[in-house]
Amino acid sequence: MTKLLHISSSPRGDASESLRIAGVFREAYEETHPRSEVEHWDLWDRSLPDFAIGAHAKMTVFAGLAPRGAEAEAWAAARRVFERFDSADHLLFSVPMWNGGIPYVLKQFIDVISQPGWIFDVDPATGYAHLLSDRRMRVAVVYSSAVWGPGLGPEFGTDFQSTYFSDWLRWTGLTDISEIRYHPTLSGDRECARHAADSAARDLAKSF
Ligand SMILES: Cc1cc2nc3c(=O)[nH]c(=O)nc-3n(C[C@H](O)[C@H](O)[C@H](O)COP(=O)(O)O)c2cc1C
């Protein structure tokens, strides 16, 4: 059975625009893919482990050694997070802009799963190898913001949200990436922007 994993990074529940748009995607996906499974992973549900000891374990692994004791436990906890991510056939991320970038739980998720041998390898001469590049995963990302918008000047902020996140996705080797955007801006027409985002979400879900 094909599994779509929705990974969300807004803590705002019913008030969240990115969750609402992702909900539109999921509803259309479920209608058009009745035999697929859809799983929702709310990154604010405290399922992400702390990565302080994990950072030591990562450097131990880089040094070619096996993590032991508390490091081994932290490494195993990170591996469980990676395996849940890796169990998906397709991914849907919903990502609000926070201070020009992404919410810190999503960065925590990235820092926990982006490990040598799982997501990447690195060679002194040839640089990074992207270990998910043989996966045929499709990825949809809902981006939302309230002030920044494409076409506005730097006085409304800079987009380190989608630039950073799509760079990370590509770095893992995932390249089949589609974006759904909701950037009403402070002076824009919210209803019109909502309608356009919902419609883009529906169309993309049907094509998945
Ligand atoms: C902590 C925080 C930081 C934010 N920073 C920005 C920002 O830098 N630029 C921007 O345009 N909007 C910013 N916003 C507004 C959100 O990006 C916008 O309301 C978005 O739609 C929120 O997504 P959500 O409704 O799914 O939570 C911020 C909101 C919060 C809560």
Side-chain angles (χ1 to χ4, degrees):
M1 189 191 274
T2 306
K3 178 157 106 181
L4 171 76
L5 180 59
H6 171 207
I7 299 178
S8 66
S9 58
S10 169
R12 298 199 318 122
D14 289 346
S16 163
E17 297 281 5
S18 60
L19 274 169
R20 192 187 56 74
I21 297 161
V24 172
F25 182 103
R26 279 164 50 179
E27 206 177 296
Y29 182 86
E30 279 168 334
E31 261 170 44
T32 46
H33 304 74
R35 284 204 293 274
S36 293
E37 181 193 351
V38 178
E39 182 181 323
H40 181 199
W41 188 356
D42 173 3
L43 295 181
W44 291 93
D45 67 4
R46 298 177 190 276
S47 55
L48 290 178
D50 180 283
F51 198 63
I53 297 173
H56 288 279
K58 178 174 192 153
M59 301 319 275
T60 300
V61 170
F62 258 122
L65 302 169
R68 298 172 59 173
E71 283 190 24
E73 279 171 36
W75 200 243
R79 179 72 196 182
R80 284 193 291 277
V81 176
F82 170 76
E83 282 172 3
R84 184 171 177 194
F85 162 78
D86 198 41
S87 71
D89 298 289
H90 300 301
L91 293 165
L92 167 65
F93 286 93
S94 44
V95 183
M97 179 179 282
W98 273 22
N99 302 308
I102 59 173
Y104 61 84
V105 282
L106 182 55
K107 183 60 166 57
Q108 183 179 352
F109 172 79
I110 288 171
D111 288 338
V112 168
I113 68 165
S114 300
Q115 305 307 346
W118 308 352
I119 292 273
F120 73 95
D121 276 326
V122 65
D123 178 274
T126 54
Y128 285 114
H130 317 282
L131 300 186
L132 303 188
S133 58
D134 59 348
R135 301 286 309 271
R136 300 169 64 129
M137 232 182 220
R138 291 194 68 183
V139 186
V141 189
V142 177
Y143 290 112
S144 70
S145 68
V147 179
W148 179 85
L152 292 182
E155 61 276 26
F156 293 95
T158 305
D159 174 21
F160 294 108
Q161 170 202 36
S162 66
T163 49
Y164 172 74
F165 191 65
S166 66
D167 184 73
W168 176 75
L169 285 171
R170 288 176 200 286
W171 178 69
T172 69
L174 300 177
T175 52
D176 187 348
I177 303 163
S178 306
E179 297 179 353
I180 303 154
R181 288 181 166 275
Y182 176 70
H183 305 294
T185 74
L186 296 176
S187 56
D189 182 336
R190 251 164 212 281
E191 277 317 306
C192 186
R194 275 200 189 107
H195 184 75
D198 288 4
S199 168
R202 246 180 250 111
D203 289 349
L204 183 60
K206 288 180 193 161
S207 79
F208 248 54

